[in-house]
Amino acid sequence: MIFGSLFLIGIGIKFLLDTQESGINWAIVFPLGFIFLGGLIASNTLILCSVAITKDFLILNYPLIGRKKSIEWKSISDAGMRFITTKSSGSDYSFRTGKEIRLFSNGKNHRITTFTIKDPEKLILELKKRLDSSLKTKMKKEYKETEREFWKGENDYRNWMMKIVLPICLIILALLWILKK
């Protein structure tokens, strides 16, 4: 993944330099897209982590950046969990859903997304076992609220597309067909 992202960044920089030498300034979008995509892949690869659970600690290991965070179970003072998706645009019908877990411990905020760890369900089960019941209730309530907001927005968007955008597009298509005859 890292080599692929570096390759995309390199190709993007080469395209950018080649298009600027010839004086075609509008073509800057294509190489910048390569650079952005390469950077996005690299940054998301670097945040991949593995989770180790011991009796006293939750250990987050980030192997690509060489960092390890140890969170003592007893030191977790607050927690939160939000609904997240990989959906990036309205026309994207296939997307993954997950959870973003926030743990507050010793004045530090630790964020963990289920997309970046190998076995997220194991972590969720351990959190349910080890956290205070009020924190579990708060996490569940926050998750359900954000999930409900997402699906409501998704349904509103699809209704808007079917009631407004699709009829306008069909009218334009019919007018173009009629005017072409």
Side-chain angles (χ1 to χ4, degrees), residues 75-94:
S75 69
I76 298 175
S77 59
D78 196 10
M81 184 165 52
R82 296 182 57 86
F83 178 81
I84 57 173
T85 68
T86 58
K87 184 174 174 63
S88 59
S89 70
S91 63
D92 187 9
Y93 287 101
S94 62

Side-chain angles (χ1 to χ4, degrees), residues 76 79 103 127-133 135-136 139:
I76 298 175
L103 301 172
L127 287 173
K128 287 180 181 178
K129 287 180 192 175
R130 298 181 186 254
L131 291 181
D132 185 57
S133 64
L135 289 179
K136 289 189 282 190
M139 289 173 69

